[in-house]
Coordinates of all heavy atoms in Angstrom, one line a residue:
M9 N 10.8 -6.1 -9.2 CA 9.7 -5.8 -8.3 C 10.1 -6.0 -6.9 O 10.7 -7.0 -6.6 CB 8.4 -6.5 -8.7 CG 7.6 -5.7 -9.6 SD 6.0 -6.6 -9.8 CE 6.3 -7.4 -11.3
I10 N 9.8 -5.1 -6.1 CA 10.1 -5.2 -4.7 C 8.8 -5.1 -3.8 O 8.0 -4.3 -4.1 CB 11.0 -4.1 -4.2 CG1 12.3 -4.1 -5.1 CG2 11.4 -4.1 -2.8 CD1 13.1 -2.8 -5.0
S11 N 8.7 -5.9 -2.8 CA 7.6 -5.8 -1.9 C 7.9 -4.8 -0.8 O 9.0 -4.8 -0.2 CB 7.3 -7.2 -1.2 OG 6.9 -8.1 -2.1
P12 N 7.1 -3.8 -0.7 CA 7.3 -2.7 0.3 C 7.1 -3.3 1.8 O 6.3 -4.2 2.0 CB 6.3 -1.6 0.0 CG 5.2 -2.3 -0.6 CD 5.8 -3.5 -1.4
A13 N 7.7 -2.6 2.7 CA 7.5 -2.9 4.1 C 6.1 -2.4 4.4 O 5.7 -1.3 4.0 CB 8.5 -2.3 5.0
F14 N 5.4 -3.1 5.2 CA 4.1 -2.6 5.7 C 3.7 -3.2 7.1 O 4.2 -4.2 7.5 CB 3.0 -2.9 4.7 CG 2.5 -4.3 4.7 CD1 1.4 -4.7 5.3 CD2 3.1 -5.3 3.8 CE1 1.0 -6.0 5.3 CE2 2.8 -6.5 3.8 CZ 1.7 -7.0 4.5
R15 N 2.8 -2.5 7.8 CA 2.3 -3.0 9.0 C 0.8 -2.6 9.0 O 0.4 -1.7 8.3 CB 3.1 -2.5 10.2 CG 3.3 -1.0 10.3 CD 4.2 -0.7 11.5 NE 4.6 0.7 11.4 CZ 5.6 1.1 12.0 NH1 6.3 0.4 12.9 NH2 6.0 2.4 11.9
W16 N 0.1 -3.4 9.8 CA -1.4 -3.1 9.8 C -2.0 -3.2 11.2 O -1.4 -3.7 12.1 CB -2.1 -4.1 8.9 CG -2.0 -5.5 9.4 CD1 -0.9 -6.4 9.3 CD2 -2.9 -6.2 10.2 NE1 -1.2 -7.6 9.8 CE2 -2.4 -7.5 10.5 CE3 -4.2 -5.9 10.7 CZ2 -3.1 -8.5 11.2 CZ3 -4.8 -6.9 11.5 CH2 -4.3 -8.2 11.7
A17 N -3.1 -2.6 11.3 CA -4.0 -2.6 12.5 C -5.4 -2.6 12.1 O -5.7 -2.2 11.0 CB -3.7 -1.4 13.4
Q18 N -6.3 -3.1 13.0 CA -7.7 -3.1 12.6 C -8.6 -2.9 13.7 O -8.3 -3.1 14.9 CB -8.1 -4.4 11.9 CG -8.0 -5.7 12.7 CD -8.5 -6.9 11.9 OE1 -8.7 -6.8 10.7 NE2 -8.4 -8.0 12.5
S19 N -9.8 -2.4 13.4 CA -10.8 -2.2 14.4 C -12.1 -3.0 13.8 O -12.0 -3.7 12.8 CB -11.2 -0.8 14.5 OG -11.8 -0.2 13.4
L20 N -13.2 -2.8 14.4 CA -14.4 -3.5 13.9 C -14.8 -3.1 12.5 O -15.3 -3.9 11.7 CB -15.6 -3.3 14.9 CG -15.5 -3.9 16.3 CD1 -16.7 -3.5 17.2 CD2 -15.4 -5.4 16.1
N21 N -14.5 -1.8 12.2 CA -15.1 -1.2 10.9 C -14.0 -1.0 9.8 O -14.3 -0.8 8.7 CB -15.8 0.1 11.2 CG -16.9 -0.1 12.1 OD1 -17.6 -1.0 11.9 ND2 -17.1 0.9 13.0
T22 N -12.7 -0.9 10.2 CA -11.6 -0.6 9.3 C -10.4 -1.4 9.5 O -10.1 -1.9 10.6 CB -11.2 0.9 9.4 OG1 -10.7 1.1 10.7 CG2 -12.4 1.8 9.1
T23 N -9.6 -1.5 8.5 CA -8.2 -2.1 8.5 C -7.3 -1.0 8.0 O -7.5 -0.4 7.0 CB -8.1 -3.3 7.7 OG1 -9.0 -4.3 8.1 CG2 -6.7 -3.9 7.7
L24 N -6.3 -0.6 8.8 CA -5.3 0.4 8.4 C -4.0 -0.2 8.1 O -3.5 -1.1 8.8 CB -5.2 1.3 9.6 CG -6.5 2.0 10.1 CD1 -6.3 2.7 11.5 CD2 -7.1 2.9 9.1
L25 N -3.4 0.3 7.0 CA -2.1 -0.2 6.6 C -1.1 1.0 6.5 O -1.5 2.0 6.0 CB -2.1 -0.9 5.2 CG -2.9 -2.2 5.1 CD1 -3.3 -2.3 3.7 CD2 -1.9 -3.3 5.5
E26 N 0.1 0.8 7.1 CA 1.1 1.8 6.8 C 2.1 1.2 5.8 O 2.7 0.1 6.2 CB 1.8 2.2 8.1 CG 2.9 3.2 7.9 CD 3.7 3.5 9.2 OE1 3.4 2.8 10.2 OE2 4.6 4.4 9.1
V27 N 2.3 1.7 4.7 CA 3.2 1.1 3.6 C 4.4 2.1 3.5 O 4.3 3.3 3.4 CB 2.5 1.0 2.3 CG1 3.4 0.4 1.3 CG2 1.2 0.2 2.5
K28 N 5.6 1.5 3.6 CA 6.8 2.3 3.4 C 7.6 1.8 2.2 O 7.8 0.5 2.1 CB 7.7 2.1 4.7 CG 9.0 3.0 4.6 CD 9.8 2.8 5.9 CE 11.1 3.7 5.8 NZ 11.9 3.5 7.0
Y29 N 8.0 2.6 1.3 CA 8.7 2.2 0.1 C 10.1 2.0 0.4 O 11.0 2.7 0.2 CB 8.6 3.4 -0.9 CG 7.1 3.6 -1.3 CD1 6.5 4.8 -1.1 CD2 6.3 2.6 -1.9 CE1 5.2 5.1 -1.4 CE2 5.1 2.9 -2.3 CZ 4.5 4.1 -2.0 OH 3.2 4.3 -2.3
S30 N 10.3 0.8 1.1 CA 11.6 0.3 1.5 C 11.4 -1.2 1.7 O 10.3 -1.7 1.9 CB 12.0 1.0 2.8 OG 13.2 0.5 3.3
T31 N 12.5 -1.9 1.9 CA 12.3 -3.4 2.2 C 12.2 -3.6 3.6 O 11.7 -4.7 4.0 CB 13.6 -4.1 1.6 OG1 14.8 -3.6 2.2 CG2 13.6 -4.1 0.1
R32 N 12.5 -2.7 4.5 CA 12.4 -2.9 5.9 C 12.0 -1.5 6.5 O 12.3 -0.4 6.0 CB 13.7 -3.3 6.6 CG 14.2 -4.7 6.2 CD 15.4 -5.1 7.0 NE 16.3 -4.0 7.3 CZ 17.5 -3.8 6.8 NH1 17.9 -4.5 5.8 NH2 18.2 -2.8 7.3
F33 N 11.4 -1.5 7.7 CA 11.0 -0.2 8.3 C 12.2 0.5 8.8 O 12.1 1.7 9.0 CB 10.0 -0.5 9.4 CG 8.6 -0.3 8.9 CD1 7.8 -1.4 8.5 CD2 8.0 1.0 8.8 CE1 6.5 -1.2 8.1 CE2 6.7 1.1 8.3 CZ 6.0 0.1 8.0
D34 N 13.3 -0.2 9.2 CA 14.4 0.5 9.7 C 15.5 0.9 8.7 O 16.6 1.3 9.0 CB 15.1 -0.3 10.8 CG 15.6 -1.6 10.3 OD1 15.3 -2.0 9.1 OD2 16.3 -2.3 11.1
S35 N 15.1 0.8 7.4 CA 16.0 1.4 6.3 C 15.4 2.5 5.6 O 14.2 2.7 5.7 CB 16.3 0.2 5.3 OG 15.1 -0.2 4.7
P36 N 16.2 3.3 4.9 CA 15.6 4.6 4.3 C 14.6 4.2 3.3 O 14.7 3.2 2.5 CB 16.9 5.2 3.7 CG 18.1 4.5 4.3 CD 17.6 3.2 4.8
A37 N 13.6 5.1 3.1 CA 12.6 5.0 2.1 C 12.9 5.7 0.9 O 13.7 6.6 0.9 CB 11.2 5.5 2.7
C38 N 12.3 5.2 -0.2 CA 12.4 6.0 -1.5 C 11.6 7.2 -1.5 O 10.4 7.1 -1.0 CB 12.0 5.1 -2.7 SG 12.2 5.8 -4.2
L39 N 12.1 8.4 -1.8 CA 11.4 9.6 -1.7 C 10.8 10.1 -3.0 O 9.9 10.9 -3.0 CB 12.3 10.7 -1.1 CG 12.9 10.4 0.2 CD1 13.9 11.5 0.7 CD2 11.8 10.1 1.3
D40 N 11.3 9.6 -4.1 CA 10.9 10.0 -5.5 C 9.9 9.0 -6.0 O 10.3 8.1 -6.8 CB 12.1 10.2 -6.4 CG 11.7 10.9 -7.7 OD1 10.5 11.2 -7.9 OD2 12.6 11.0 -8.5
I41 N 8.6 9.1 -5.7 CA 7.6 8.1 -6.0 C 6.7 8.7 -7.1 O 6.3 9.9 -7.0 CB 6.7 7.8 -4.7 CG1 7.6 7.1 -3.7 CG2 5.6 6.9 -5.1 CD1 8.2 5.8 -4.0
F42 N 6.4 7.9 -8.1 CA 5.4 8.3 -9.1 C 4.7 7.1 -9.7 O 5.0 6.0 -9.3 CB 6.2 9.1 -10.2 CG 7.2 8.2 -11.0 CD1 7.0 7.6 -12.1 CD2 8.5 8.0 -10.4 CE1 7.9 6.8 -12.8 CE2 9.5 7.3 -11.0 CZ 9.2 6.7 -12.2
D43 N 3.7 7.3 -10.4 CA 2.8 6.3 -11.1 C 2.2 5.3 -10.0 O 2.3 4.1 -10.2 CB 3.6 5.5 -12.2 CG 3.8 6.3 -13.4 OD1 3.1 7.3 -13.6 OD2 4.6 5.9 -14.2
Q44 N 1.6 5.9 -9.0 CA 1.0 5.0 -8.0 C -0.3 4.5 -8.5 O -1.1 5.1 -9.2 CB 0.7 5.8 -6.7 CG 1.9 6.2 -5.9 CD 1.6 6.7 -4.6 OE1 0.9 6.0 -3.8 NE2 1.9 7.9 -4.3
E45 N -0.6 3.2 -8.1 CA -1.8 2.5 -8.5 C -2.4 2.0 -7.2 O -1.7 1.4 -6.4 CB -1.6 1.4 -9.4 CG -2.0 1.6 -10.8 CD -1.8 0.3 -11.6 OE1 -2.8 -0.5 -11.7 OE2 -0.8 0.2 -12.2
F46 N -3.7 2.1 -7.0 CA -4.4 1.5 -5.8 C -5.7 1.0 -6.2 O -6.5 1.7 -6.9 CB -4.6 2.7 -4.8 CG -5.5 2.3 -3.6 CD1 -5.0 1.3 -2.7 CD2 -6.7 2.9 -3.4 CE1 -5.8 1.0 -1.6 CE2 -7.4 2.5 -2.3 CZ -7.0 1.6 -1.4
R47 N -5.9 -0.3 -6.0 CA -7.2 -1.0 -6.4 C -7.6 -1.9 -5.4 O -6.8 -2.6 -4.8 CB -7.0 -1.7 -7.7 CG -6.7 -0.9 -9.0 CD -6.8 -1.7 -10.2 NE -6.0 -2.9 -10.2 CZ -4.8 -3.1 -10.8 NH1 -4.3 -2.0 -11.4 NH2 -4.1 -4.2 -10.7
I48 N -8.9 -2.0 -5.2 CA -9.5 -3.1 -4.5 C -10.0 -4.1 -5.6 O -10.8 -3.8 -6.5 CB -10.8 -2.7 -3.7 CG1 -10.3 -1.5 -2.7 CG2 -11.4 -3.8 -2.9 CD1 -9.3 -1.9 -1.7
E49 N -9.6 -5.4 -5.5 CA -9.9 -6.3 -6.5 C -10.6 -7.5 -6.0 O -10.9 -7.6 -4.8 CB -8.6 -6.8 -7.2 CG -7.8 -5.7 -7.9 CD -6.5 -6.2 -8.4 OE1 -5.9 -7.2 -7.8 OE2 -6.0 -5.6 -9.4
N50 N -11.0 -8.4 -6.9 CA -11.7 -9.7 -6.5 C -12.9 -9.5 -5.6 O -13.1 -10.1 -4.6 CB -10.6 -10.6 -5.8 CG -11.0 -12.0 -5.7 OD1 -11.9 -12.5 -6.4 ND2 -10.5 -12.7 -4.7
D51 N -13.7 -8.6 -6.1 CA -15.0 -8.2 -5.4 C -14.8 -7.9 -4.0 O -15.5 -8.3 -3.1 CB -16.0 -9.4 -5.6 CG -17.4 -9.0 -5.2 OD1 -17.8 -7.8 -5.4 OD2 -18.1 -9.9 -4.7
G52 N -13.7 -7.1 -3.7 CA -13.5 -6.6 -2.3 C -12.7 -7.6 -1.5 O -12.5 -7.3 -0.3
H53 N -12.1 -8.6 -2.0 CA -11.4 -9.6 -1.2 C -9.8 -9.5 -1.4 O -9.1 -10.3 -0.9 CB -11.8 -11.0 -1.5 CG -13.2 -11.3 -1.0 ND1 -14.4 -11.0 -1.7 CD2 -13.6 -11.7 0.3 CE1 -15.4 -11.3 -0.9 NE2 -14.9 -11.8 0.3
S54 N -9.3 -8.5 -2.2 CA -7.9 -8.4 -2.3 C -7.6 -6.9 -2.6 O -8.4 -6.2 -3.1 CB -7.3 -9.3 -3.4 OG -7.8 -9.0 -4.7
L55 N -6.3 -6.6 -2.2 CA -5.8 -5.2 -2.4 C -4.6 -5.2 -3.3 O -3.7 -6.1 -3.2 CB -5.4 -4.7 -1.0 CG -4.5 -3.5 -1.0 CD1 -5.3 -2.2 -1.3 CD2 -3.8 -3.3 0.4
Y56 N -4.5 -4.3 -4.2 CA -3.3 -4.1 -5.0 C -2.9 -2.7 -5.0 O -3.6 -1.8 -5.1 CB -3.7 -4.5 -6.5 CG -2.5 -4.2 -7.4 CD1 -1.4 -5.2 -7.5 CD2 -2.4 -3.1 -8.1 CE1 -0.4 -4.9 -8.3 CE2 -1.2 -2.8 -8.9 CZ -0.3 -3.8 -9.0 OH 0.8 -3.6 -9.9
H57 N -1.6 -2.5 -4.6 CA -1.0 -1.2 -4.6 C 0.4 -1.3 -5.2 O 1.2 -2.2 -4.9 CB -0.9 -0.6 -3.2 CG -0.1 0.7 -3.1 ND1 -0.6 1.8 -3.8 CD2 1.0 1.0 -2.5 CE1 0.2 2.8 -3.5 NE2 1.3 2.3 -2.7
S58 N 0.7 -0.4 -6.1 CA 2.1 -0.3 -6.7 C 2.5 1.1 -6.9 O 1.7 2.1 -6.9 CB 2.1 -1.0 -8.0 OG 1.4 -0.3 -9.0
A59 N 3.9 1.3 -7.0 CA 4.4 2.7 -7.2 C 5.8 2.5 -7.8 O 6.5 1.5 -7.5 CB 4.5 3.4 -5.9
M60 N 6.1 3.4 -8.6 CA 7.5 3.4 -9.2 C 8.4 4.4 -8.4 O 7.9 5.4 -7.8 CB 7.5 3.9 -10.7 CG 6.7 3.0 -11.6 SD 7.5 1.4 -11.8 CE 9.0 1.8 -12.5
C61 N 9.7 4.1 -8.3 CA 10.6 4.8 -7.5 C 11.9 5.1 -8.3 O 12.4 4.2 -8.9 CB 10.9 4.0 -6.2 SG 12.4 4.6 -5.3
R62 N 12.3 6.3 -8.3 CA 13.6 6.7 -8.8 C 14.6 6.8 -7.6 O 14.5 7.6 -6.8 CB 13.5 8.1 -9.5 CG 13.7 8.0 -10.9 CD 13.6 9.4 -11.5 NE 12.6 9.5 -12.6 CZ 11.4 10.0 -12.4 NH1 11.1 10.6 -11.3 NH2 10.6 10.1 -13.3
N63 N 15.6 5.9 -7.7 CA 16.6 5.8 -6.6 C 18.0 5.6 -7.1 O 18.2 4.5 -7.7 CB 16.2 4.7 -5.6 CG 16.9 4.7 -4.4 OD1 17.7 5.7 -4.1 ND2 16.6 3.8 -3.5
D64 N 18.9 6.6 -7.0 CA 20.3 6.5 -7.5 C 20.3 6.1 -8.9 O 21.0 5.2 -9.4 CB 21.0 5.5 -6.6 CG 21.3 5.9 -5.2 OD1 21.3 7.1 -5.0 OD2 21.4 5.0 -4.3
K65 N 19.5 6.8 -9.7 CA 19.5 6.6 -11.2 C 18.9 5.3 -11.7 O 19.1 4.9 -12.7 CB 20.8 6.9 -11.8 CG 21.4 8.3 -11.6 CD 22.8 8.5 -12.2 CE 23.3 9.8 -11.8 NZ 24.6 10.0 -12.3
K66 N 18.2 4.6 -10.7 CA 17.7 3.3 -11.1 C 16.2 3.5 -10.9 O 15.6 4.2 -10.0 CB 18.1 2.2 -10.1 CG 19.6 1.8 -10.3 CD 19.9 0.6 -9.4 CE 20.1 1.1 -8.0 NZ 20.5 0.1 -7.0
L67 N 15.4 2.7 -11.7 CA 13.9 2.6 -11.5 C 13.6 1.4 -10.8 O 14.0 0.3 -11.2 CB 13.2 2.7 -12.8 CG 13.2 4.1 -13.5 CD1 12.5 3.9 -14.9 CD2 12.5 5.1 -12.7
L68 N 12.8 1.5 -9.7 CA 12.3 0.3 -8.9 C 10.8 0.4 -8.9 O 10.2 1.4 -8.9 CB 12.9 0.4 -7.5 CG 14.4 0.5 -7.3 CD1 14.7 0.8 -5.9 CD2 15.1 -0.7 -7.8
K69 N 10.2 -0.8 -8.9 CA 8.8 -0.9 -8.8 C 8.5 -1.6 -7.5 O 8.9 -2.8 -7.3 CB 8.2 -1.7 -9.9 CG 6.6 -1.8 -9.9 CD 6.0 -2.3 -11.1 CE 4.5 -2.3 -11.0 NZ 3.8 -2.8 -12.2
Y70 N 7.7 -0.9 -6.6 CA 7.2 -1.5 -5.4 C 5.8 -2.0 -5.6 O 5.0 -1.3 -6.3 CB 7.2 -0.5 -4.3 CG 8.6 -0.2 -3.7 CD1 9.3 0.8 -4.2 CD2 9.1 -1.0 -2.7 CE1 10.6 1.1 -3.7 CE2 10.4 -0.8 -2.2 CZ 11.1 0.3 -2.7 OH 12.4 0.5 -2.2
E71 N 5.5 -3.2 -5.2 CA 4.2 -3.8 -5.4 C 3.7 -4.6 -4.2 O 4.4 -5.4 -3.7 CB 4.3 -4.7 -6.7 CG 3.0 -5.2 -7.1 CD 3.1 -6.0 -8.4 OE1 3.5 -7.2 -8.4 OE2 2.8 -5.4 -9.5
L72 N 2.5 -4.3 -3.8 CA 1.9 -5.0 -2.6 C 0.6 -5.6 -3.1 O -0.3 -4.9 -3.6 CB 1.7 -3.9 -1.5 CG 1.0 -4.5 -0.3 CD1 1.9 -5.4 0.5 CD2 0.6 -3.3 0.7
K73 N 0.5 -6.9 -2.9 CA -0.7 -7.6 -3.2 C -1.1 -8.4 -2.0 O -0.3 -9.2 -1.4 CB -0.5 -8.7 -4.3 CG -0.2 -8.0 -5.7 CD 0.1 -9.2 -6.7 CE 0.5 -8.7 -8.0 NZ 0.8 -9.7 -9.0
L74 N -2.3 -8.2 -1.5 CA -2.8 -8.8 -0.2 C -4.1 -9.4 -0.5 O -5.0 -8.8 -1.0 CB -2.9 -7.8 0.9 CG -1.6 -7.2 1.4 CD1 -2.0 -6.1 2.5 CD2 -0.7 -8.2 2.0
D75 N -4.2 -10.7 -0.1 CA -5.6 -11.3 -0.1 C -6.1 -11.1 1.3 O -5.5 -11.3 2.3 CB -5.4 -12.9 -0.3 CG -5.1 -13.2 -1.7 OD1 -5.4 -12.5 -2.6 OD2 -4.3 -14.2 -1.9
L76 N -7.4 -10.6 1.3 CA -8.0 -10.2 2.6 C -9.0 -11.3 3.0 O -9.6 -12.0 2.3 CB -8.8 -8.9 2.3 CG -8.0 -7.7 1.7 CD1 -8.9 -6.6 1.3 CD2 -6.9 -7.3 2.7
F77 N -9.1 -11.4 4.4 CA -9.9 -12.4 5.0 C -11.5 -12.1 4.8 O -12.3 -13.0 4.7 CB -9.6 -12.6 6.4 CG -8.3 -13.3 6.6 CD1 -7.2 -12.6 7.2 CD2 -8.1 -14.6 6.2 CE1 -6.0 -13.2 7.3 CE2 -6.9 -15.2 6.4 CZ -5.9 -14.5 7.0
G78 N -11.8 -10.8 4.8 CA -13.2 -10.4 4.6 C -13.3 -9.3 3.5 O -12.3 -8.8 3.0
K79 N -14.5 -9.1 3.1 CA -14.8 -8.1 2.0 C -14.6 -6.7 2.5 O -15.0 -6.4 3.7 CB -16.1 -8.3 1.5 CG -16.5 -7.5 0.3 CD -17.8 -7.8 -0.2 CE -18.1 -6.9 -1.4 NZ -19.3 -7.2 -2.1
V80 N -13.9 -5.9 1.7 CA -13.8 -4.4 2.0 C -14.5 -3.6 0.9 O -14.7 -4.2 -0.2 CB -12.3 -3.9 2.2 CG1 -11.7 -4.6 3.3 CG2 -11.6 -4.2 0.8
L81 N -14.9 -2.4 1.2 CA -15.6 -1.6 0.2 C -14.5 -0.9 -0.7 O -13.4 -0.6 -0.3 CB -16.4 -0.5 1.0 CG -17.4 -1.0 1.9 CD1 -18.1 0.1 2.6 CD2 -18.5 -1.8 1.1
D82 N -14.9 -0.7 -1.9 CA -14.0 0.0 -2.9 C -14.0 1.4 -2.6 O -14.7 2.0 -1.7 CB -14.5 -0.3 -4.3 CG -13.4 -0.3 -5.4 OD1 -12.4 0.2 -5.1 OD2 -13.7 -0.7 -6.5
Q83 N -13.2 2.2 -3.4 CA -13.2 3.7 -3.3 C -14.5 4.3 -3.6 O -15.2 3.7 -4.4 CB -12.1 4.1 -4.3 CG -10.7 3.6 -4.1 CD -9.7 4.0 -5.2 OE1 -9.9 5.0 -5.8 NE2 -8.7 3.2 -5.3
P84 N -14.9 5.3 -3.0 CA -14.2 6.2 -2.1 C -14.2 5.9 -0.7 O -13.6 6.6 0.1 CB -14.9 7.6 -2.4 CG -16.3 7.2 -2.6 CD -16.2 5.8 -3.4
E85 N -14.8 4.8 -0.3 CA -14.9 4.4 1.1 C -13.5 4.0 1.7 O -13.1 4.3 2.7 CB -15.9 3.3 1.4 CG -17.3 3.8 1.4 CD -17.9 3.9 0.0 OE1 -17.2 3.4 -1.0 OE2 -19.0 4.4 -0.2
S86 N -12.8 3.2 0.8 CA -11.4 2.8 1.1 C -10.5 3.8 0.4 O -10.7 4.1 -0.7 CB -11.1 1.4 0.6 OG -11.9 0.5 1.3
T87 N -9.5 4.3 1.2 CA -8.6 5.4 0.6 C -7.2 5.1 0.8 O -6.7 4.3 1.6 CB -9.0 6.7 1.4 OG1 -8.7 6.5 2.8 CG2 -10.4 7.1 1.2
L88 N -6.4 5.8 0.0 CA -4.9 5.8 0.1 C -4.5 7.3 0.3 O -4.9 8.2 -0.4 CB -4.3 5.3 -1.2 CG -2.8 5.3 -1.2 CD1 -2.2 4.0 -1.1 CD2 -2.3 6.0 -2.4
E89 N -3.7 7.5 1.4 CA -3.3 8.9 1.7 C -1.8 8.9 1.8 O -1.2 8.2 2.5 CB -3.9 9.3 3.1 CG -3.5 10.6 3.6 CD -4.1 10.9 4.9 OE1 -5.2 10.4 5.2 OE2 -3.4 11.6 5.6
E90 N -1.2 9.8 1.0 CA 0.2 10.0 1.0 C 0.7 10.7 2.3 O 0.0 11.6 2.8 CB 0.7 10.8 -0.2 CG 0.5 10.1 -1.5 CD 1.0 10.8 -2.7 OE1 2.2 11.4 -2.6 OE2 0.4 10.8 -3.7
S91 N 1.8 10.2 2.8 CA 2.4 10.8 4.0 C 3.8 11.2 3.6 O 4.2 11.2 2.4 CB 2.4 9.7 5.1 OG 2.9 10.3 6.3
S92 N 4.6 11.6 4.6 CA 5.9 12.1 4.4 C 6.9 10.9 4.4 O 6.6 9.8 4.8 CB 6.3 13.2 5.4 OG 6.3 12.5 6.7
V93 N 8.1 11.2 4.0 CA 9.2 10.3 4.0 C 8.9 8.9 3.4 O 9.2 7.9 4.0 CB 9.7 10.1 5.5 CG1 11.1 9.5 5.5 CG2 9.7 11.4 6.3
G94 N 8.4 8.9 2.2 CA 8.2 7.7 1.4 C 7.2 6.7 2.0 O 7.4 5.5 1.9
R95 N 6.1 7.2 2.6 CA 5.1 6.3 3.2 C 3.7 6.7 2.7 O 3.5 7.9 2.3 CB 5.1 6.5 4.7 CG 6.4 6.0 5.4 CD 6.4 6.4 6.8 NE 7.6 6.2 7.5 CZ 7.9 5.4 8.4 NH1 7.0 4.6 9.0 NH2 9.1 5.3 8.9
V96 N 2.8 5.7 2.7 CA 1.4 6.0 2.5 C 0.6 5.2 3.5 O 1.1 4.3 4.1 CB 1.0 5.6 1.1 CG1 1.6 6.4 0.0 CG2 1.2 4.1 0.8
F97 N -0.6 5.7 3.8 CA -1.5 5.1 4.7 C -2.7 4.7 3.9 O -3.3 5.4 3.2 CB -2.0 6.0 5.8 CG -0.8 6.3 6.8 CD1 -0.1 7.5 6.7 CD2 -0.5 5.4 7.8 CE1 1.0 7.8 7.5 CE2 0.6 5.7 8.6 CZ 1.3 6.9 8.5
V98 N -3.1 3.4 4.1 CA -4.3 2.8 3.4 C -5.4 2.6 4.5 O -5.1 1.9 5.5 CB -3.9 1.5 2.6 CG1 -5.2 0.9 2.0 CG2 -2.8 1.8 1.7
N99 N -6.6 3.1 4.2 CA -7.7 2.9 5.1 C -8.7 2.1 4.4 O -9.3 2.5 3.4 CB -8.2 4.2 5.6 CG -9.4 4.1 6.5 OD1 -9.9 3.0 6.8 ND2 -9.8 5.2 7.1
L100 N -8.9 0.8 4.8 CA -9.8 -0.1 4.2 C -11.1 -0.2 5.0 O -11.0 -0.6 6.2 CB -9.2 -1.5 4.0 CG -7.9 -1.6 3.1 CD1 -7.4 -3.0 3.3 CD2 -8.2 -1.2 1.7
S101 N -12.2 0.1 4.4 CA -13.5 0.1 5.1 C -14.1 -1.3 5.0 O -14.3 -1.7 3.8 CB -14.5 1.2 4.6 OG -14.0 2.4 4.9
K102 N -14.4 -2.0 6.0 CA -14.9 -3.3 6.0 C -16.4 -3.3 5.5 O -17.2 -2.4 5.9 CB -14.8 -4.0 7.3 CG -13.4 -4.2 7.7 CD -13.4 -4.8 9.1 CE -11.9 -5.1 9.6 NZ -11.9 -5.7 10.9
A103 N -16.8 -4.3 4.7 CA -18.2 -4.3 4.2 C -19.2 -4.7 5.3 O -20.3 -4.3 5.3 CB -18.2 -5.3 3.0
E104 N -18.8 -5.6 6.2 CA -19.7 -6.1 7.3 C -19.1 -5.8 8.6 O -17.9 -5.8 8.8 CB -19.9 -7.5 7.1 CG -20.6 -7.9 5.8 CD -20.8 -9.3 5.6 OE1 -20.5 -10.1 6.5 OE2 -21.1 -9.7 4.5

């Protein structure tokens, strides 16, 4: 299991995460992603995201687990949007 590179920003109502299927932002990302999972857990206080990657005939699992300081709303208010070049954007809607 590998922790993906990510960075975040927040406003009063949302927290935004950019997740790259790589160990660092300045290294190449995995492009063949499948079996993605995205969940808000612990009554809105934690985030779980995972994805499988096929890279050079190897299977890798990227997994991101974050404990959040405040409560966020579950789906469909909080979303995961696929982007190009082995990245996804997570938009977490804050409960308060």
Side-chain angles (χ1 to χ4, degrees):
M9 263 189 265
I10 302 167
S11 295
F14 74 95
R15 51 188 166 192
W16 65 277
Q18 67 180 358
S19 68
L20 291 175
N21 300 320
T22 61
T23 299
L24 305 168
L25 292 154
E26 178 186 8
V27 180
K28 183 177 179 185
Y29 299 116
S30 175
T31 54
R32 297 186 326 255
F33 265 97
D34 62 349
S35 62
C38 182
L39 302 178
D40 189 5
I41 298 293
F42 61 99
D43 287 346
Q44 288 192 59
E45 254 186 90
F46 171 67
R47 293 192 307 262
I48 305 296
E49 300 177 328
N50 195 20
D51 194 32
H53 288 87
S54 61
L55 163 75
Y56 176 81
H57 174 61
S58 69
M60 294 298 293
C61 164
R62 247 183 236 102
N63 193 3
D64 293 332
K65 300 179 184 176
K66 292 185 282 186
L67 286 179
L68 304 172
K69 183 174 183 176
Y70 285 94
E71 187 173 77
L72 178 65
K73 295 179 184 179
L74 293 175
D75 291 327
L76 306 171
F77 289 112
K79 185 176 180 176
V80 297
L81 300 173
D82 205 349
Q83 298 174 25
E85 287 82 9
S86 295
T87 61
L88 176 110
E89 180 182 327
E90 291 186 42
S91 184
S92 63
V93 195
R95 296 174 193 239
V96 294
F97 291 98
V98 178
N99 184 347
L100 301 174
S101 294
K102 295 179 182 179
E104 297 177 10

